[in-house]
Structure formats: C-alpha cells, structure tokens
Amino acid sequence: MEMSTKDFWEDRLASDWTETGVGYRALGKAFNVWMYRVRREVFLAEMERAPLDIPASAVFDIGSGTGFYVDLWRELGAPSVTGSDITSSAVRNLRERFPDEEFHVFDAASPELPVAAGSYDIVSAMDMLFHITDDAGHAQALRNAAALLRPGGHFVFSENFLFGPEQRGPRQVNRSMHTIERELAAAGLEPIRHTPMFVLMNAQVDAQCLRRRAWAVVMRSLVAAGLGGLAGRLLHPLELRLVRSRTEGPSTELMICRKVGEPQG
C-alpha cells in the first residue's frame, strides 16, 4: 500500500529534522546548506522590497518544517508568527525551538483551518505547495491561505510555475503558471510580485528535458564524489548574481499576492 502524504512526511521529518529532511535529499546536507543560504538571501531581499509592513503584521506560516522561514519572519521584525506543519513531529520540535510562538498540526489541503479565519496580515507557504499532488487539495491550500488573511493581506509563497508541460510524480507535482494563476484568482488572490529563487542550484524543472537530465547527472555525481559542499560554495555567489539579474528562472520562484476578493464558487 502506498504511504499517504502525511505518513511520508511524518516518517521523513521524525528521522531527519534538518536541511536534507525538508530539502533536496539526493543532493546531501553540504549542498543543501548552501541552497538554504540562497533561499535566505533571496527571501530577505525580496521581503525588504515588497510593499509589506512586516513589523506591524501577524504572520501565519504553512508547512513550517524546521522553522527556517519562521526564523526569517522573526528576523524581519514580525511581532508574531504562527506556524504549522502536516507532521506532529515537526510541530513538537518547532514548539521547543520557538517557545514564544504558536504552532499547529495542519494539513494545508484540508478545508479545516486550525485558527480563526481572517486573523493574519501575511500568510506564507514556502517550498511546500508542489508537494500537494492532489489537484483539489492544491486549490484548497490556496483558498485556505486566502481565508486566513484579512482583507488586503498578502500571501507569500514559492512554486515552480512551469511554462512547459506539467510534471507529475508520486511526491511532487510541478504545475503550470496558468493553472496556478487560475487557482489564485478563484481564491481571491492577485499576484503583485514574482521573482526567481534559484537559477542554477535547484532542479531545472522548467527547462528542456535534456538540460533537466544533465543537471541531475552532474549534481548527483558531484555529491557522490563528496564535492557537494565545494560545489555549493563555488555556485553561491554566481547564483545570487543570476537571481538578481533575472525576472524568470528555470526553477523555483517566489510570488507575492494580495487578497482582493472572496473566493469564487
């Protein structure tokens, strides 16, 4: 019997509550550490440019994992960050790491919210929506984000936003920009900013098949040779220059939406 999404992540995070547990496991811890450095720098820079009053905002984070983005919201001055995760093991660890914050077990694809609707100025869902393989559940997660927001609040999230064909796997679905924009509109969310999070250092999901395969072969060979940390260190400055110079990328991208209406239907 195939393991459920909840059981899969419960098992994975219970045994590995680190960058590799929540990140790209096949690339190893040393390379994932550098990937998370890129995520941190891109996220902080984009939040500083965005029209968000973070020091006056209550934040709800969906899929908090190890608390990476909870920590970044706190660093940016958010007065309160409520976190959540589909796994009870992550929530236990998060409560220990951030004793002053509130955390809930929450399946983002479920219509049952863990807190009162309309209570937050910012909702974030970073690096997790593409792991919702059920299409109805993915659309529900976006409706949930909108429901948690006050009118005029902002939704900050990352996705893969394909312009090429949709890609489906047992634990990840990379959806088209058209599909995601349609679901956002149905949830009453309007995109206002969009930027790459990676260009070279993450899977080339929106590139041609040959490039995707070549990237995977090269990166996994470097990791197998024990060179993941060196590769990350060398690619890190180049990656930041590429991200800053582009408006679109072949990998994960960050989007900010504003809540402008009520969900349709």
Side-chain angles (χ1 to χ4, degrees):
M1 180 182 295
E2 183 177 351
M3 185 180 292
S4 71
T5 296
K6 185 179 189 306
D7 289 343
F8 172 83
W9 287 106
E10 192 75 62
D11 180 69
R12 178 160 164 167
L13 294 187
S15 62
D16 187 8
W17 197 60
T18 69
E19 294 91 342
T20 51
V22 296
Y24 199 145
R25 178 174 278 185
L27 298 185
K29 184 174 182 179
F31 191 80
N32 270 278
V33 167
W34 286 101
M35 291 180 75
Y36 272 93
R37 290 191 184 188
V38 172
R39 286 184 174 98
R40 180 181 187 278
E41 293 176 59
V42 172
F43 184 83
L44 291 177
E46 185 64 9
M47 292 307 101
E48 289 173 359
R49 287 191 291 264
L52 305 177
D53 186 5
I54 298 173
S57 296
V59 177
F60 188 97
D61 184 55
I62 301 173
S64 299
T66 61
F68 180 79
Y69 290 100
V70 172
D71 205 31
L72 294 186
W73 284 122
R74 286 158 55 102
E75 182 177 336
L76 288 163
S80 69
V81 184
T82 302
S84 67
D85 199 86
I86 194 173
T87 71
S88 56
S89 58
V91 168
R92 284 195 301 271
N93 290 332
L94 288 163
R95 287 171 177 165
E96 290 184 10
R97 181 180 175 190
F98 303 100
D100 297 330
E101 306 293 359
E102 181 181 329
F103 294 93
H104 300 271
V105 176
F106 174 46
D107 180 353
S110 166
E112 299 296 324
L113 299 179
V115 293
S119 299
Y120 296 90
D121 305 289
I122 299 172
V123 171
S124 55
M126 301 299 298
D127 310 325
M128 54 78 57
L129 289 169
F130 39 71
H131 291 303
I132 301 176
T133 56
D134 173 63
D135 290 340
H138 186 270
Q140 181 64 54
L142 298 184
R143 291 195 296 271
N144 288 341
L148 289 164
L149 287 168
R150 298 185 177 109
H154 292 87
F155 179 40
V156 179
F157 70 108
S158 61
E159 266 280 15
N160 288 322
F161 300 110
L162 300 189
F163 288 97
E166 184 180 82
Q167 300 161 14
R168 289 186 170 270
R171 299 297 172 194
Q172 181 166 322
V173 173
N174 300 321
R175 296 175 173 86
S176 71
M177 172 69 85
H178 174 74
T179 295
I180 296 167
E181 287 182 334
R182 184 182 68 244
E183 291 178 355
L184 290 169
L189 296 165
E190 176 187 47
I192 60 171
R193 290 184 69 86
H194 176 222
T195 191
M197 291 195 77
F198 291 100
V199 176
L200 292 178
M201 288 180 66
N202 203 359
Q204 307 290 284
V205 292
D206 205 20
Q208 293 184 347
C209 182
L210 183 60
R211 177 173 168 179
R212 293 200 307 271
R213 291 179 178 176
W215 182 91
V217 169
V218 170
M219 293 308 303
R220 294 185 185 206
S221 297
L222 288 170
V223 170
L227 299 174
L230 177 62
R233 183 180 298 111
L234 294 175
L235 286 172
H236 174 258
L238 174 60
E239 182 75 308
L240 292 178
R241 286 197 295 272
L242 289 172
V243 168
R244 291 166 185 159
S245 67
R246 298 192 177 195
T247 58
E248 295 284 349
S251 189
T252 306
E253 297 172 314
L254 185 151
M255 180 177 279
I256 302 173
C257 297
R258 180 173 54 241
K259 183 175 179 178
V260 295
E262 295 303 316
Q264 300 170 11

